[in-house]
Short mmCIF file of all heavy atoms in Angstrom, two decimals:
data_model
loop_
_atom_site.label_atom_id
_atom_site.label_comp_id
_atom_site.label_asym_id
_atom_site.label_seq_id
_atom_site.Cartn_x
_atom_site.Cartn_y
_atom_site.Cartn_z
N ALA A 24 -25.80 -17.36 -14.39
CA ALA A 24 -25.39 -18.74 -14.64
C ALA A 24 -23.87 -18.88 -14.58
O ALA A 24 -23.34 -19.83 -13.97
CB ALA A 24 -25.93 -19.21 -15.99
N GLY A 46 -12.51 -30.00 9.76
CA GLY A 46 -13.36 -31.17 9.82
C GLY A 46 -14.61 -31.10 8.97
O GLY A 46 -15.37 -32.07 8.87
N GLY A 67 -11.77 -15.10 -4.58
CA GLY A 67 -13.00 -15.89 -4.54
C GLY A 67 -12.94 -17.09 -3.62
O GLY A 67 -13.91 -17.40 -2.91
N GLN A 109 -28.53 -4.91 -5.41
CA GLN A 109 -28.68 -5.81 -6.54
C GLN A 109 -27.53 -6.82 -6.56
O GLN A 109 -26.38 -6.47 -6.33
CB GLN A 109 -28.67 -5.00 -7.84
CG GLN A 109 -28.82 -5.83 -9.11
CD GLN A 109 -28.59 -4.99 -10.36
OE1 GLN A 109 -27.66 -4.18 -10.41
NE2 GLN A 109 -29.44 -5.17 -11.35
N ASP A 139 -22.04 5.05 -1.86
CA ASP A 139 -22.46 3.65 -1.76
C ASP A 139 -22.15 2.89 -3.05
O ASP A 139 -21.62 1.78 -3.03
CB ASP A 139 -23.96 3.62 -1.46
CG ASP A 139 -24.39 2.36 -0.73
OD1 ASP A 139 -23.67 1.34 -0.81
OD2 ASP A 139 -25.46 2.36 -0.10
N PHE A 151 -22.30 -13.61 -2.43
CA PHE A 151 -22.09 -14.80 -1.60
C PHE A 151 -23.19 -14.95 -0.56
O PHE A 151 -23.68 -16.06 -0.31
CB PHE A 151 -20.72 -14.75 -0.93
CG PHE A 151 -19.60 -15.28 -1.79
CD1 PHE A 151 -18.90 -14.43 -2.63
CD2 PHE A 151 -19.26 -16.62 -1.79
CE1 PHE A 151 -17.88 -14.91 -3.44
CE2 PHE A 151 -18.25 -17.12 -2.59
CZ PHE A 151 -17.55 -16.26 -3.43
N ILE A 169 -22.18 -1.02 6.77
CA ILE A 169 -21.64 0.03 7.63
C ILE A 169 -20.24 0.39 7.15
O ILE A 169 -19.34 -0.45 7.18
CB ILE A 169 -21.60 -0.41 9.11
CG1 ILE A 169 -23.02 -0.70 9.63
CG2 ILE A 169 -20.92 0.64 9.97
CD1 ILE A 169 -23.04 -1.27 11.04
N ASP A 202 -9.46 -6.84 3.09
CA ASP A 202 -8.25 -7.47 2.60
C ASP A 202 -7.18 -7.29 3.66
O ASP A 202 -7.36 -6.53 4.63
CB ASP A 202 -7.80 -6.84 1.29
CG ASP A 202 -8.82 -7.02 0.17
OD1 ASP A 202 -9.62 -7.97 0.24
OD2 ASP A 202 -8.83 -6.18 -0.76
N SER A 232 11.97 0.18 5.83
CA SER A 232 11.30 0.53 4.57
C SER A 232 12.21 0.07 3.43
O SER A 232 13.33 0.58 3.27
CB SER A 232 11.05 2.03 4.49
OG SER A 232 10.09 2.42 5.44
N SER A 248 7.99 -12.17 4.13
CA SER A 248 7.91 -11.10 5.12
C SER A 248 6.47 -10.60 5.25
O SER A 248 5.97 -10.39 6.36
CB SER A 248 8.82 -9.94 4.73
OG SER A 248 8.64 -8.83 5.56
N ILE A 249 5.79 -10.43 4.12
CA ILE A 249 4.39 -10.00 4.13
C ILE A 249 3.53 -11.02 4.87
O ILE A 249 2.68 -10.67 5.69
CB ILE A 249 3.88 -9.80 2.69
CG1 ILE A 249 4.62 -8.67 1.99
CG2 ILE A 249 2.37 -9.53 2.69
CD1 ILE A 249 4.39 -8.61 0.49
N SER A 261 -6.87 -13.78 16.84
CA SER A 261 -7.28 -15.08 17.39
C SER A 261 -7.22 -15.11 18.91
O SER A 261 -8.05 -15.74 19.56
CB SER A 261 -6.38 -16.20 16.86
OG SER A 261 -6.49 -16.34 15.47
N ALA A 297 -17.39 -13.05 26.22
CA ALA A 297 -17.03 -14.38 25.70
C ALA A 297 -16.24 -14.16 24.41
O ALA A 297 -16.82 -13.94 23.36
CB ALA A 297 -18.28 -15.21 25.43
N SER A 321 -3.03 -9.12 0.09
CA SER A 321 -3.25 -10.40 0.78
C SER A 321 -4.73 -10.57 1.13
O SER A 321 -5.45 -9.59 1.33
CB SER A 321 -2.42 -10.47 2.06
OG SER A 321 -1.07 -10.19 1.82
#
Side-chain angles (χ1 to χ4, degrees):
Q109 180 188 43
D139 206 338
F151 275 90
I169 298 175
D202 297 336
S232 292
S248 173
I249 296 168
S261 297
S321 307

